[in-house]
């Protein structure tokens, strides 16, 4: 694997960097990302590939289960990243994106799988309420159906946790930041986003139809989304 990684660096330096040299020179001095993208550490998720962004457009935070602990006096990497993104970088959007076949959430449904991993077990306790919601709403679903539902309920739960962070709460209350809950189906390449009006997850192209119809076929500078 390392030969592939190191050869990739060589190709980046010889092929990719020269094509985007002007962009990298600009980014060397400052960053101005549009969104904070919180997703799982799963190696199958590539946020920039998923949303087709250039370097500098996403501020990315990853962890097992795309979890956001509720705000507390304990300082952790997730909390610090959120605070910096909102208070300093002033991102306009925060996206929490779950995904299909999530190992972390499979372990939430089957805690015995991680009983010998104390740190993982404790971390996944932040998703326990989502598990309770699934069992309360649909106790008779199959294990596969429960996982699909849990993936959705978990991003909604983490969005609620996000609102407990002071800078997020303040900027959300003044409409300076928008919050988004997404799920990504790896095998199908589909992304769904939660729609508060219908209280359901809709395909991104339907949920954001006003944006996507304006942006298709246009350059970033012309689409008007920012």
């Amino acid at each position: 694997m390392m030969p592939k990684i190191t050869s990739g660096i060589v190709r980046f330096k010889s092929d990719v960097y020269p094509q985007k040299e002007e962009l990298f020179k600009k980014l060397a001095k400052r960053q101005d990302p549009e969104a904070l993208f919180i997703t799982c550490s799963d190696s199958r998720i590539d946020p920039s590939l998923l949303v087709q962004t250039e370097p500098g457009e996403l501020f990315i935070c990853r962890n097992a289960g795309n979890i956001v602990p509720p705000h507390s006096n304990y300082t952790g990497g997730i909390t610090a990243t959120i605070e910096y993104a909102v208070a300093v970088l002033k991102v306009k959007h925060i996206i929490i994106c779950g995904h299909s076949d999530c190992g972390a959430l499979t372990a939430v449904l089957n805690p015995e799988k991680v009983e010998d991993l104390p740190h993982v077990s404790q971390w996944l306790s932040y998703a326990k309420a989502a598990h309770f919601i699934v069992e309360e709403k649909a106790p008779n679903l199959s294990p596969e159906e429960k996982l699909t539902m849990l993936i959705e309920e978990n991003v909604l739960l983490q969005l609620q946790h996000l609102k407990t962070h002071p800078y997020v709460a303040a900027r959300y209350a003044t409409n300076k930041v928008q919050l988004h809950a997404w799920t990504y189906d790896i095998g199908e390449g589909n992304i769904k986003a939660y729609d508060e009006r219908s209280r359901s997850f809709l395909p991104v192209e339907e949920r954001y139809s006003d944006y996507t119809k304006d942006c298709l076929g246009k350059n970033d500078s012309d689409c008007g989304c920012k």
Side-chain angles (χ1 to χ4, degrees):
M1 185 62 183
M2 278 306 295
K4 183 176 182 179
I5 292 174
T6 53
S7 63
I9 293 173
V10 173
R11 288 196 304 274
F12 169 78
K13 293 176 66 176
S14 62
D15 301 334
V16 178
Y17 179 84
Q19 295 177 16
K20 297 182 181 291
E21 184 173 0
E22 184 178 347
L23 172 62
F24 286 118
K25 294 291 187 185
K26 179 180 177 181
L27 292 175
K29 298 178 181 179
R30 69 187 302 269
Q31 62 170 321
D32 186 26
E34 178 76 6
L36 168 61
F37 197 101
I38 301 172
T39 193
C40 189
S41 299
D42 195 298
S43 63
R44 297 168 292 180
I45 314 299
D46 185 336
S48 296
L49 179 64
L50 203 60
V51 300
Q52 294 293 288
T53 51
E54 293 283 354
E57 294 181 337
L58 288 183
F59 199 65
I60 300 172
C61 183
R62 307 184 66 155
N63 65 73
N66 40 271
I67 283 170
V68 176
H71 185 266
S72 69
N73 290 330
Y74 170 76
T75 298
I78 308 301
T79 299
T81 298
I82 292 169
E83 185 175 82
Y84 187 82
V86 177
V88 179
L89 298 178
K90 300 189 185 304
V91 295
K92 297 179 180 65
H93 302 273
I94 304 177
I95 301 158
I96 300 180
C97 184
H99 68 94
S100 61
D101 192 43
C102 182
L105 295 186
T106 299
V108 171
L109 291 173
N110 305 278
E112 69 279 1
K113 292 180 177 291
V114 292
E115 60 186 0
D116 294 329
L117 303 172
H119 295 290
V120 174
S121 296
Q122 184 176 357
W123 179 251
L124 295 180
S125 68
Y126 291 119
K128 186 179 293 184
H131 185 193
F132 287 174
I133 291 171
V134 171
E135 294 296 342
E136 183 71 21
K137 285 184 173 181
N140 297 320
L141 291 180
S142 69
E144 293 78 13
E145 291 170 329
K146 283 187 177 181
L147 178 59
T148 298
M149 186 175 179
L150 179 59
I151 291 164
E152 293 183 347
E153 293 294 345
N154 183 56
V155 290
L156 294 177
L157 174 65
Q158 305 313 320
L159 210 64
Q160 294 305 312
H161 291 173
L162 186 63
K163 293 177 183 179
T164 68
H165 291 246
Y167 278 105
V168 176
R171 294 184 67 81
Y172 180 68
T174 53
N175 295 316
K176 293 176 181 176
V177 67
Q178 296 181 31
L179 309 181
H180 310 266
W182 291 4
T183 62
Y184 167 47
D185 187 314
I186 297 171
E188 299 296 328
N190 294 325
I191 301 174
K192 292 184 177 181
Y194 186 71
D195 177 61
E196 292 186 355
R197 290 170 294 184
S198 65
R199 299 176 66 85
S200 64
F201 282 82
L202 303 176
V204 160
E205 55 269 31
E206 181 179 343
R207 169 63 179 83
Y208 302 108
S209 59
D210 291 343
Y211 291 142
T212 53
K213 69 182 180 183
D214 289 339
C215 290
L216 288 175
K218 296 182 180 179
N219 296 324
D220 289 345
S221 59
D222 298 329
C223 74
C225 285
K226 293 187 178 182

